[in-house]
Amino acid sequence: MPRHVDLLSSAAALVLVCSTAFAQGQGDGPPADGGPPKMSEEDQALSDALQARMGDTSTLMESVPIPESAADCDQSASYDRMLCLIELLKTDVSDEVMEHLQVDYSRTEAEYWSNLPAGAFPKRPGVLLGELNIKQRGLVKAIMLEATSGDVDEGWDEMVQTLNADDYINTVSTDYKAGYSSFNTKFAFLGTPGTTGVWELYYGGHHMAFANTYVDGALAGATPSFRGVEPFPYFEMNGRVNEPLTQERDAFAALLSALSDDQREAATLEGTYRDILAGPQSDDAIPDSFEGMPVSELDSDQTELLLAAIKTYVGDISQAEADAYMEKYTDELSETYLGFTGTPQLSAEDDYVRVHGPSLWIEFSLQSNKSTDKVGNHPHSVWRDQTDDYGGQTE
């Protein structure tokens, strides 16, 4: 089945658009009738239980202090420091919180991530950030700083801005209030963190999924990695101007604008894309065939622009691990393709760009605002590695 969607081609395509939109959370806000997405009885029971835990306040993760006890882990190397911080957190939480904080690892559990707000996807694993006290949130912050980039607008800083977006939506939203606020972001360990075995560091909520999988003490996979944000391209909240995902958009816009007319024509995909393909619960959506323009046809300056765009995704994780991914993707450029639809400026609804290589899959998609009642568009974006998604785990 073709992976593109031509909205005008046939009634069948319209059906595909609707089903894809529901499966991937195309509508972050309510459907046309004003209510939340329909849930199964099982999910409704989970949602009812989750509603009792959710809140509508800010966790202020940017300014929350890292506790003095974290200094006990400072002499350790990065991974060992992270394990040390995790032990501090686990020993500080109650048994009730621990039941949510650490769960058994399974590929099924790892696949329970979503771009939807908390109440609309209750299967996400983890404890809500708002259920942790200030000290415990500080330890979460320290753990995430070990696993992510410290650069502005990347890694941890980008995640903080995404949390701020939910706090902003909570002040203006008129939709079904499915849990907008940074309080409702989840944090979890899937499996037991350690130097042996498989475990995943999960941090996710509305418009965010960070999933580092470790095997025997080493990073085995940093994807799926999902980001989205509304409003876009910037907003003020929690004492700062926030503009997450503008660097991704700007990097791709610079690349597409640098293409010649012939290159742009070769890179243009058929149809219209209303959202990303390989989003939540769509692990098999990446096409088997390559579409668009081989990036081997780029000149050296254009290739540098492509690598800069890729780095805005890979650069979310720690430096050494990001460097390894960039080396792999650079080595695979001769077999990588660039595709887009819409405007090269990536400024209009349904603008879409992808990079597809033997390992690499990146998508950036603009869709209309859903939750802020403002005219405009907001992005969904995903980085996936086809060779080590979910750390290569199948069970």
Side-chain angles (χ1 to χ4, degrees):
M1 181 176 67
R3 298 297 182 179
H4 64 267
V5 178
D6 186 340
L7 296 183
L8 302 179
S9 63
S10 68
L14 289 173
V15 172
L16 177 59
V17 171
C18 294
S19 61
T20 301
F22 184 81
Q24 297 178 6
Q26 165 79 12
D28 296 321
D33 64 1
K38 184 176 177 58
M39 294 184 183
S40 66
E41 290 185 8
E42 176 188 2
D43 285 354
Q44 188 60 59
L46 290 173
S47 184
D48 291 344
L50 182 62
Q51 291 285 344
R53 296 165 49 200
M54 289 184 353
D56 61 358
T57 59
S58 174
T59 55
L60 296 175
M61 291 300 289
E62 182 170 27
S63 59
V64 68
I66 295 175
E68 293 181 2
S69 58
D72 295 341
C73 303
D74 285 349
Q75 302 306 311
S76 303
S78 180
Y79 183 77
D80 290 337
R81 172 175 162 76
M82 184 165 62
L83 293 182
C84 178
L85 292 166
I86 288 170
E87 285 305 309
L88 289 178
L89 176 62
K90 288 166 63 174
T91 57
D92 197 77
V93 301
S94 66
D95 291 343
E96 181 181 7
V97 167
M98 190 64 186
E99 288 182 7
H100 298 294
L101 177 63
Q102 183 169 300
V103 299
D104 293 339
Y105 181 88
S106 72
R107 171 64 185 259
T108 298
E109 193 74 28
E111 290 177 359
Y112 289 150
W113 59 277
S114 177
N115 61 284
L116 293 171
F121 193 81
K123 285 186 176 179
R124 274 192 194 92
V127 62
L128 301 171
L129 290 181
E131 295 180 292
L132 302 173
N133 63 34
I134 296 297
K135 175 185 177 183
Q136 293 160 359
R137 290 180 207 167
L139 288 170
V140 169
K141 178 179 181 177
I143 292 164
M144 293 302 297
L145 285 170
E146 286 299 316
T148 64
S149 167
D151 293 342
V152 174
D153 292 331
E154 300 285 0
W156 172 251
D157 185 60
E158 185 177 67
M159 294 177 193
V160 164
Q161 294 181 65
T162 305
L163 295 179
N164 290 343
D166 254 25
D167 290 336
Y168 177 91
I169 292 173
N170 190 51
T171 69
V172 300
S173 174
T174 58
D175 67 19
Y176 61 93
K177 294 290 185 183
Y180 296 122
S181 82
S182 56
F183 186 108
N184 300 313
T185 295
K186 294 277 195 76
F187 183 74
F189 311 123
L190 279 58
T192 303
T195 56
T196 60
V198 178
W199 70 282
E200 179 188 292
L201 175 62
Y202 175 77
Y203 188 84
H206 181 219
H207 275 156
M208 179 169 57
F210 175 91
N212 270 14
T213 304
Y214 299 90
V215 178
D216 295 337
L219 182 69
T223 66
S225 182
F226 178 94
R227 303 291 184 275
V229 66
E230 185 184 350
F232 182 78
Y234 67 89
F235 60 96
E236 293 186 24
M237 191 68 200
N238 291 339
R240 66 176 290 179
V241 175
N242 301 269
E243 46 186 356
L245 287 177
T246 55
Q247 74 276 21
E248 286 86 348
R249 192 273 304 276
D250 292 349
F252 273 125
L255 169 62
L256 295 176
S257 297
L259 300 180
S260 68
D261 290 343
D262 288 344
Q263 287 175 319
R264 201 170 294 139
E265 182 178 358
T268 300
L269 303 170
E270 295 181 14
T272 299
Y273 289 78
R274 304 302 307 275
D275 200 348
I276 61 174
L277 297 180
Q281 290 73 66
S282 298
D283 295 314
D284 298 324
I286 297 175
D288 295 328
S289 59
F290 295 90
E291 300 175 85
M293 182 189 71
V295 302
S296 58
E297 297 181 8
L298 299 176
D299 63 29
S300 59
D301 289 340
Q302 292 168 333
T303 300
E304 287 304 311
L305 290 174
L306 171 64
L307 291 172
I310 294 171
K311 192 172 183 180
T312 63
Y313 292 81
V314 176
D316 284 334
I317 60 177
S318 65
Q319 185 67 52
E321 293 163 339
D323 288 346
Y325 272 111
M326 288 302 300
E327 182 177 357
K328 176 169 72 167
Y329 297 151
T330 301
D331 289 344
E332 295 177 349
L333 284 182
S334 63
E335 302 175 81
T336 300
Y337 285 70
L338 172 68
F340 85 105
T341 61
T343 72
Q345 294 79 22
L346 295 177
S347 58
E349 184 176 357
D350 298 337
D351 282 355
Y352 171 88
V353 62
R354 78 165 64 140
V355 182
H356 186 187
S359 303
L360 179 63
W361 176 265
I362 287 175
E363 295 178 274
F364 183 98
S365 167
L366 278 180
Q367 57 183 261
S368 61
N369 285 336
K370 302 295 191 299
S371 304
T372 55
D373 198 27
K374 293 180 180 292
V375 176
N377 304 295
H378 79 282
H380 285 182
S381 193
V382 73
W383 163 37
R384 305 192 79 144
D385 189 293
Q386 300 170 85
T387 59
D388 63 25
D389 228 23
Y390 298 103
Q393 303 304 302
T394 59
E395 298 182 357

